[in-house]
Amino acid sequence: MKKIAVFADVQNLYYTVRQAYGCHFNYAALWADISQRGEIVEAYAYAIDRGDSKQQQFQQILRNLGFTVKLKPYIQRSDGSAKGDWDVGITIDIMDAAPNVDEVVLASGDGDFDLLLERVIGKHGVEAVAYGVPGLTANSLIRAASRYVPIEGALLLKN
């Protein structure tokens, strides 16, 4: 059975799905979709911790599905902008997982990950699957992935 590691960029998924569809991403459907292809041996969801109860409930839902939730504090800069970037953490975790799995799944449309997917495919021979919102996923990421899965249909939680 194929061994799969899953990495979900929660902030990217939240904002791109909301912008494109006005709803939320269906993590249970993602888990079910990936599980049809093999065994999920590692799964991480990367989020920003603002400490509110609604977010904590959501994080618990992710844990109940099987994700390890990794949190970074929400940082408000003096100029009013916010910081909460998991790109380096996701990269390190994917590099660590790639030698031990057959497939890496990245749920994010962030083009910063294109070189990462190219590297793990080239160095470890894994399949690298990118899930992203059509029109809001970087073309460089789509090109770098072994396979691109558009986030649509069952992957959306309609209100």
Side-chain angles (χ1 to χ4, degrees):
M1 183 177 264
K2 187 189 288 190
K3 292 193 293 188
I4 304 171
V6 182
F7 305 87
D9 183 350
V10 172
Q11 302 308 111
N12 181 278
L13 293 170
Y14 175 79
Y15 288 108
T16 58
V17 170
R18 189 177 75 174
Q19 181 181 335
Y21 301 110
C23 64
H24 293 288
F25 183 65
N26 188 339
Y27 287 87
L30 173 73
W31 193 277
D33 191 46
I34 296 166
S35 294
Q36 292 174 354
R37 296 198 304 274
E39 179 190 4
I40 298 172
V41 295
E42 291 183 60
Y44 299 98
Y46 303 85
I48 304 307
D49 186 14
R50 293 173 189 238
D52 67 78
S53 62
K54 197 170 179 185
Q55 253 195 344
Q56 289 166 344
Q57 282 178 305
F58 166 68
Q59 292 160 6
Q60 192 54 51
I61 290 167
L62 292 175
R63 288 184 190 97
N64 293 345
L65 285 171
F67 285 96
T68 297
V69 177
K70 293 194 170 192
L71 298 172
K72 261 191 183 174
Y74 175 76
I75 297 167
Q76 184 82 39
R77 296 187 184 118
S78 58
D79 68 358
S81 66
K83 171 107 176 88
D85 191 327
W86 265 110
D87 288 9
V88 172
I90 292 170
T91 299
I92 290 168
D93 287 347
I94 289 178
M95 294 297 287
D96 285 349
N100 308 311
V101 297
D102 304 302
E103 182 178 307
V104 167
V105 174
L106 174 64
S108 176
D110 189 336
D112 290 343
F113 294 119
D114 56 2
L115 294 173
L116 170 65
L117 295 190
E118 288 172 4
R119 173 63 60 92
V120 297
I121 291 167
K123 188 171 183 183
H124 302 291
V126 298
E127 186 176 357
V129 179
Y131 281 74
V133 173
L136 297 176
T137 298
N139 287 328
S140 62
L141 184 68
I142 294 170
R143 282 192 304 272
S146 313
R147 193 160 59 87
Y148 165 68
V149 180
I151 293 174
E152 56 196 9
L155 291 170
L156 302 174
L157 270 179
K158 300 284 186 185
N159 301 359

